[in-house]
Amino acid sequence: MDYRILGPLELRSGGRPVALGGERQRKLLALLLLGTGTVVSFDRLIDELWEDPPQTARRQVCNAAAAVRRVVTRGGGHLTTTTHGYRLDLPEGSLDADLFRARIREADVLAGRGEPAQAVALLQSALDLWRGPVLTGLTSPSIDAEAEALRERRLQAVERLAELRLELGEVTSLLGELMGQVAEHPLRESLRATLMRALDRAGRRGDALTVFEQGRRVLADELGADPGPELTGLHAEFLRARPVLVAEPRRSPLPFDIPDFTGRESEVDALVEAVGDRGPAIVTIEGMGGIGKTALAVHVANRLEDRFPDGRCYVDLRGFTADTEPLAAGAALELLLRQIGVPPERIPVDPAARRDLWLTEVSGRRLLVVLDNAADAGQVRPLLLGASRSVVLVVSRCHLMSIEGAVPVSLDVLPAADGAALFSRIAGQERADAEPEAVADVISLCGGLPLAIRIAASRFRRRPWSIAHLAEQLRDRQRRARAFTANDVSVAGVLALSYQHLPADRQELFRLLALVPGTDFDAHAAAALAGVPVWDAQDVLEELVECNLLMQRRSDRYCLHDLVRDCALDLADRAGAPSELDTARHRLFDYYLHLADVRGRRSLPGRRGFEPDLTWRPELPASESEEDDVRQLRAEYKNMVAVAGYASAHGWHVHAWQLPCLLMPYLTRVGLRSGVLELSRNALKAAQALGDRCGESMALTNMAFALREEGRHGEVLDFLGRAIAISRELGDLPAVVGGLRDLGAAQVQAGMLTDAAGSFAEAVELARSVGDQRAEVNSTIDLGFVDCNLGRHAEADARFRAALAMHQRGGYTGGEVVVLINLGWLAQLRGRDGEAATALERAVRLSREIGMSRGECISLAWLGVTYRRQGRIADAFTAGREALDSARRMDLREPEGDALNGLGETCLAAGRLREAEAMFREAEELAMAGVLPMVRARAHEGLAHVAARRSEHEWARTHWERAVELYPDGAVDADNARAHLAGTGTGCMRCACGRPAPRALTVVREVAKVS
């Protein structure tokens, strides 16, 4: 059945009219047809059908709807009753108004492609659908409004048809029709202008001037207004009696330069420099949607007006415009030719001929041509200027690398300061100045995107909000989408245009990338998400970078702008079922689980292991060495933490406990503890939810690791005790070995040296019994460390040498670093500073090679001590400061304390007592906050040395005595303080500096005399 509203309401089936019943049924059907595909509410229907509705209005609507349903159902339509009203659904192409609109859109596309003849035919077929005024004889507020809208659309089509026919040279046949249209619509200036052009083309310029004069009088009589710029421009051209007609008023076609243009100083300078004074030049301005490319191009074009005496041109190539095909080269050339004054009758129809004419016309001119919104290089290349002295600015969302000789200027998001300045100019300086921190939050939440900042500031300016309230709105993703919409412009809509121009497989991966919980990703993660080979994913990622939907901060890493992520997530929610999105997430999460497992094996061999539960086993990036392992984990650990957080929050229990536990070898190696406690608690809950005792034990161990640096020794020992008990219960002896080593390390830190020796000795024996040689040698190193603390140097040396040989044979560089640090410290205790320096320098070098940050930090701290003992004070300062910076950067409390004490001792050796005292005070405060007794004892030793150098003998004795009290029983370090208290200090490793200290040792006997 055909439904006709472009004239009297009519239904036809098989070419015959269909009876519709009375006026109420006809009006009801008309209202439903105007709202096809949407629900028309009962209340609206009642208001439209009656001026004064009766009490039975709703029942009468239902009765009328039943009659309409019987009619439309026979014709393939479907009338649905909903809770709120009715929705009419029709087969495609059965409503004449829909056909009219579709043909108009298709004609626009054809005209844009440079096919005016085909566009004329389609426009004429669209206009032929009209049989009279819309819905003749029916009236209501909605019917009247829609009738007026369709009438306006018809007149626009009539005007466009006349323009195209004139372009094709149809003058004589067109004149009569135009005269009739102008007589029917005397106030429509655009129609009158077209008639004037047609008359001029026919050689009737006098008649054209008469038509203008008639229009001027009608406008004055009816509206009290003068003709607009189009008519007055034509009139002026005719009066000058030029032999040809200029197609358009001679004014700059550039959009206006926005008055609040802010920032971009470096980009403006780069563009001005690239444009130069001679030409030719091609400059491309590239960046994501909403980044301010057009605003920058227009700003620079207006700024450089004086350099281009022959004018400036501007064409929107519609590369990324909603519901519109990119402008064809022929159509773009026509616009450019008209802008430089070529009359329509001289412009060829053939695009190649237009290209030739364009090159001829611009050859002697100096123009600035702005080609905005370019789809790709192929669209731009026919519009370039050859050897002309002119300059072309090309604006595009895509990288246009294939345009030879083009100078690219890439736009990034606005810096925070420029973003704040833009917000303040739009929102109001006074209000912005009152809340500077909230302004910074808003700029951050806008991602520095100028379009988002403009919309947010404009919305704020019109409301009595605080900026903090605006920021709160922007923090919520759903509210953020609404907040970034103004009238018909939205950030999401602007960004989605780039997506809409992608092929289907590219669109799919773009949507899935929004599921990455972290901040960036590589091609392997993207391949896992989409379930495609890595090289295929790499190709898509590069294409997404080319069209500025992805950013690339590093050579192999990609990221989404926050607002692009919002857009992608909305598209993913609309396009995919939840189960499909969860399947993609599962592939990605398994990728990170697999990566953490495989790459963690060399990071800390001998760890308690388990086989992760993998549904998918995605391809991993290649790794040739332990250094590669660590580099990959460093790049991905934040993503893994984000995945673990998501898994915990959404009940993915396996990933929630296994991923943190597999990641721990890396975190242990580099000394990262921030956020580990929360991760481990979540892992514990997940393991308990699954009843997985192995996971519970590992999570408890990880919680202890997180708390060790905070000095919460009671909790640490409790968690480790529980973890070891579970491992014994499960019969998991390798896990028991690992637990005992962790327990021993915690006991050392708590000053329980004898207990630590027992834990390490048990770990050695148990590892030997299960044949785990690597665990045995690592436990042996631990035991040697306790031997050093207890003064058993020969035993410690033997243990360390054997462990070093083992690790070097096995190629385990991380283990070699640990042994070298211990050998260096042992050499210091034995007064062998050259040997200590050699071991520690190698430890620093190897740590840096494999990215072992904690090892580097500790090695540097003790190397600084060695250099000071050798009298290399400058080197000691350098090593000590590097150690301190590294420890603070990674939040390593005990190494930070060691570095502070080491620097204090170097300051003491250099005679800088005030700085030395400050270092020791800071180390003491750190040790007290973290419950680090050995760090604190060493700080008191340092304060004692400072007091002794100042001849404050009582204070010196007090500090040395306090140091002895703080050191654990049997700790060899206490011997330094005891030596000073006894009146001999020549063996003190804290104040030796390779040369006699002026006063540090001479005051020892004075201190010893103090009772």
Side-chain angles (χ1 to χ4, degrees):
M1 187 179 296
D2 295 327
Y3 298 80
R4 301 182 177 184
I5 66 173
L6 300 179
L9 177 62
E10 183 177 276
L11 272 66
R12 300 186 73 85
S13 180
R16 296 181 179 180
V18 177
L20 295 174
E23 182 180 354
R24 186 166 296 127
Q25 287 92 334
R26 295 171 62 82
K27 187 179 287 188
L28 176 66
L29 177 57
L31 292 166
L32 293 171
L33 288 170
L34 294 176
T36 303
T38 62
V39 174
V40 183
S41 70
F42 289 110
D43 291 341
R44 179 180 164 196
L45 288 170
I46 290 170
D47 291 339
E48 297 280 347
L49 292 172
W50 288 278
E51 291 183 5
D52 183 17
Q55 291 184 348
T56 59
R58 185 171 179 119
R59 188 188 318 146
Q60 292 187 52
V61 168
C62 293
N63 292 338
V68 169
R69 180 180 285 109
R70 286 192 293 271
V71 173
V72 301
T73 301
R74 291 198 303 269
H78 188 65
L79 182 61
T80 304
T81 305
T82 72
T83 304
H84 304 290
Y86 297 98
R87 186 184 74 245
L88 177 61
D89 294 296
L90 301 178
E92 185 176 355
S94 59
L95 179 63
D96 59 356
D98 288 344
L99 285 173
F100 171 74
R101 296 186 188 97
R103 291 175 184 178
I104 295 297
R105 287 195 297 270
E106 190 174 350
D108 285 341
V109 172
L110 290 170
R113 290 177 181 167
E115 300 173 21
Q118 294 88 334
V120 163
L122 205 54
L123 280 172
Q124 189 61 61
S125 71
L127 291 168
D128 289 343
L129 294 170
W130 285 73
R131 298 169 292 110
V134 173
L135 293 169
T136 305
L138 297 178
T139 182
S140 80
S142 291
I143 291 174
D144 295 343
E146 183 63 17
E148 181 59 29
L150 283 167
R151 174 180 172 274
E152 173 62 23
R153 192 72 182 92
R154 178 181 178 277
L155 281 173
Q156 291 174 359
V158 167
E159 292 172 353
R160 183 59 176 145
L161 176 60
E163 291 170 0
L164 291 171
R165 289 175 64 188
L166 190 60
E167 178 180 327
L168 291 171
E170 295 182 30
V171 177
T172 305
S173 61
L174 184 61
L175 281 175
E177 296 176 21
L178 280 174
M179 288 176 180
Q181 292 287 350
V182 169
E184 185 180 351
H185 307 285
L187 299 177
R188 198 166 185 91
E189 294 186 54
S190 49
L191 267 176
R192 191 174 294 274
T194 305
L195 175 57
M196 290 174 64
R197 291 191 185 98
L199 287 166
D200 181 73
R201 189 75 65 88
R204 297 165 57 183
R205 180 164 289 172
D207 290 339
L209 292 171
T210 300
V211 168
F212 171 82
E213 184 60 22
Q214 292 170 345
R216 186 190 64 76
R217 288 199 302 268
V218 169
L219 288 167
D221 293 341
E222 297 290 333
L223 303 177
D226 294 324
E230 186 176 17
L231 283 178
T232 54
L234 284 174
H235 184 249
E237 292 292 342
F238 293 176
L239 290 178
R240 283 198 290 270
R242 294 179 58 173
V244 294
L245 173 65
V246 176
E248 305 219 358
R250 296 302 302 273
R251 60 184 185 276
S252 172
L254 281 175
F256 73 95
D257 189 6
I258 54 177
D260 52 22
F261 185 89
T262 304
R264 301 293 194 199
E265 288 86 357
S266 61
E267 291 90 346
V268 170
D269 291 344
L271 285 168
V272 170
E273 181 180 355
V275 167
D277 292 319
R278 295 194 185 92
I282 305 168
V283 183
T284 61
I285 304 175
E286 304 162 355
M288 65 186 289
I291 203 94
K293 304 180 294 297
T294 299
L296 176 63
V298 170
H299 178 74
V300 170
N302 281 290
R303 175 170 165 175
L304 298 177
E305 179 179 9
D306 293 343
R307 296 195 191 180
F308 299 94
D310 296 315
R312 295 163 296 162
C313 298
Y314 173 89
V315 175
D316 180 357
L317 297 177
R318 303 200 305 240
F320 298 90
T321 301
D323 302 322
T324 304
E325 291 292 321
L327 196 65
L333 285 166
E334 178 186 4
L335 292 172
L336 289 168
L337 287 166
R338 288 190 178 193
Q339 288 178 16
I340 63 173
V342 178
E345 64 270 20
R346 285 192 55 214
I347 299 175
V349 174
D350 179 56
R354 287 180 178 179
R355 165 73 175 160
D356 293 341
L357 179 60
W358 170 243
L359 293 177
T360 301
E361 289 290 334
V362 301
S363 61
R365 311 191 197 201
R366 179 156 172 78
L367 296 167
L368 176 61
V369 179
V370 178
L371 302 177
D372 194 11
N373 199 7
D376 52 39
Q379 187 188 26
V380 171
R381 206 170 280 114
L383 313 179
L384 300 179
L385 304 175
S388 165
R389 296 187 302 115
S390 299
V391 172
V392 180
L393 290 181
V394 185
V395 178
S396 180
R397 298 187 181 201
C398 298
H399 295 318
L400 306 176
M401 296 179 294
S402 62
I403 298 180
E404 294 183 3
V407 177
V409 175
S410 295
L411 288 196
D412 204 341
V413 297
L414 282 176
D418 288 350
L422 176 59
F423 180 89
S424 300
R425 292 186 68 171
I426 299 171
Q429 192 69 49
E430 185 176 348
R431 294 174 72 188
D433 288 345
E435 297 180 82
E437 293 182 0
V439 170
D441 287 343
V442 168
I443 302 310
S444 176
L445 291 163
C446 291
L449 193 67
L451 177 61
I453 296 170
R454 286 184 177 281
I455 293 177
S458 298
R459 181 175 289 271
F460 168 78
R461 186 184 183 97
R462 297 192 302 272
R463 288 166 171 79
W465 294 342
S466 66
I467 300 178
H469 175 74
L470 172 63
E472 195 60 35
Q473 282 199 325
L474 298 181
R475 286 191 179 92
D476 179 79
R477 187 171 73 88
Q478 300 301 328
R479 298 170 72 189
R480 185 161 63 226
R482 294 192 297 272
F484 286 142
T485 301
N487 300 323
D488 60 342
V489 178
S490 72
V491 172
V494 168
L495 297 175
L497 289 175
S498 297
Y499 164 84
Q500 292 165 7
H501 287 73
L502 295 172
D505 59 334
R506 271 59 173 158
Q507 289 183 341
E508 180 182 12
L509 182 55
F510 173 71
R511 294 192 304 266
L512 292 178
L513 291 174
L515 305 182
V516 177
T519 57
D520 66 355
F521 48 87
D522 64 3
H524 286 80
L529 256 177
V532 299
V534 172
W535 288 112
D536 289 350
Q538 183 73 63
D539 289 344
V540 179
L541 293 176
E542 287 300 317
E543 188 170 332
L544 293 176
V545 169
E546 292 303 316
C547 61
N548 282 292
L549 281 171
L550 279 186
M551 297 185 291
Q552 200 168 15
R553 303 301 190 195
R554 286 170 41 192
S555 60
D556 58 345
R557 309 289 300 178
Y558 305 86
C559 62
L560 289 165
H561 186 282
D562 289 345
L563 300 184
V564 175
R565 182 188 297 275
D566 284 353
C567 175
L569 198 54
D570 288 339
L571 292 166
D573 289 341
R574 292 200 296 267
S579 59
E580 295 173 351
L581 299 182
D582 278 345
T583 298
R585 282 193 182 94
H586 203 146
R587 287 194 297 261
L588 177 68
F589 290 8
D590 275 7
Y591 166 73
Y592 286 124
L593 203 60
H594 189 37
L595 184 69
D597 175 47
V598 175
R599 295 296 173 252
R601 290 174 187 170
R602 282 190 293 200
S603 296
L604 191 62
R607 64 172 171 82
R608 283 85 71 208
F610 62 89
E611 287 299 320
D613 297 328
L614 296 173
T615 304
W616 284 275
R617 197 175 295 271
E619 182 182 352
L620 299 182
S623 176
E624 301 296 332
S625 65
E626 184 181 340
E627 182 180 3
D628 285 346
D629 289 348
V630 175
R631 184 168 54 250
Q632 290 177 21
L633 290 171
R634 182 185 298 115
E636 297 290 3
Y637 91 90
K638 290 183 180 179
N639 288 327
M640 295 179 184
V641 169
V643 167
Y646 181 96
S648 177
H650 293 82
W652 295 42
H653 297 312
V654 170
H655 294 89
W657 85 257
Q658 291 189 355
L659 192 49
C661 292
L662 290 172
L663 193 55
M664 284 308 296
Y666 169 75
L667 299 176
T668 302
R669 180 190 188 114
V670 300
L672 285 168
R673 282 178 167 77
S674 177
V676 173
L677 183 59
E678 181 181 359
L679 272 177
S680 302
R681 282 176 176 153
N682 291 338
L684 180 62
K685 291 176 184 176
Q688 290 172 337
L690 292 171
D692 193 312
R693 297 285 280 166
C694 172
E696 186 177 350
S697 173
M698 296 186 74
L700 287 166
T701 302
N702 295 345
M703 291 171 70
F705 167 80
L707 292 171
R708 269 178 54 186
E709 289 292 341
E710 298 181 20
R712 295 158 65 173
H713 301 306
E715 294 174 78
V716 170
L717 297 176
D718 175 60
F719 289 147
L720 290 173
R722 289 164 58 188
I724 292 170
I726 292 173
S727 297
R728 291 187 194 277
E729 172 192 325
L730 297 174
D732 187 353
L733 297 184
V736 175
V737 173
L740 288 168
R741 289 188 61 211
D742 289 337
L743 179 62
Q747 289 166 334
V748 167
Q749 192 167 345
M752 303 163 58
L753 295 179
T754 303
D755 292 335
S759 297
F760 290 141
E762 184 180 357
V764 170
E765 294 302 319
L766 195 56
R768 186 177 297 133
S769 71
V770 298
D772 189 339
Q773 190 176 21
R774 181 157 281 176
E776 178 185 351
V777 72
N778 287 332
S779 303
T780 299
I781 296 170
D782 298 332
L783 193 53
F785 176 78
V786 177
D787 286 336
C788 281
N789 274 283
L790 296 175
R792 301 198 288 255
H793 296 164
E795 294 91 332
D797 186 74
R799 297 186 199 278
F800 294 153
R801 298 291 175 187
L804 182 64
M806 165 73 176
H807 285 317
Q808 288 176 335
R809 283 196 303 273
Y812 176 36
T813 308
E816 186 177 351
V817 168
V818 173
V819 179
L820 287 169
I821 292 172
N822 282 285
L823 282 170
W825 181 48
L826 176 60
Q828 286 180 10
L829 293 175
R830 303 171 89 174
R832 302 173 182 175
D833 295 324
E835 184 180 324
T838 299
L840 291 168
E841 286 169 349
R842 178 169 173 76
V844 171
R845 185 172 65 256
L846 291 177
S847 296
R848 288 172 173 166
E849 287 177 2
I850 63 173
M852 189 175 177
S853 305
R854 185 181 178 90
E856 178 186 356
C857 175
I858 296 172
S859 303
L860 285 167
W862 289 108
L863 184 59
V865 171
T866 301
Y867 286 156
R868 184 257 304 160
R869 286 167 56 86
Q870 291 178 310
R872 298 165 59 181
I873 301 302
D875 292 337
F877 273 122
T878 298
R881 290 185 183 116
E882 288 182 5
L884 183 60
D885 291 343
S886 179
R888 285 175 170 168
R889 186 170 58 251
M890 294 183 294
D891 194 26
L892 302 177
R893 303 293 180 82
E894 189 170 15
E896 181 182 355
D898 288 339
L900 285 167
N901 280 325
L903 277 172
E905 290 158 6
T906 302
C907 289
L908 183 74
R912 293 151 58 172
L913 300 186
R914 182 176 298 175
E915 294 176 58
E917 183 180 17
M919 292 286 184
F920 294 134
R921 294 286 184 197
E922 191 173 352
E924 183 190 21
E925 291 175 6
L926 179 80
M928 290 176 68
V931 194
L932 302 169
M934 298 182 74
V935 171
R936 188 179 177 197
R938 184 176 168 191
H940 276 286
E941 283 190 76
L943 291 170
H945 282 95
V946 172
R949 289 282 297 274
R950 292 172 173 165
S951 299
E952 298 171 351
H953 304 310
E954 292 188 10
W955 275 114
R957 185 174 188 85
T958 298
H959 283 300
W960 269 313
E961 288 173 346
R962 184 64 179 133
V964 173
E965 293 172 6
L966 287 168
Y967 277 120
D969 291 341
V972 68
D973 281 348
D975 291 346
N976 296 298
R978 290 194 184 96
H980 282 292
L981 290 169
T984 61
T986 54
C988 174
M989 66 180 298
R990 308 296 187 207
C991 57
C993 60
R995 59 180 186 272
R999 293 178 54 78
L1001 301 181
T1002 58
V1003 298
V1004 169
R1005 291 186 175 80
E1006 297 300 320
V1007 174
K1009 293 177 183 177
V1010 177
S1011 57

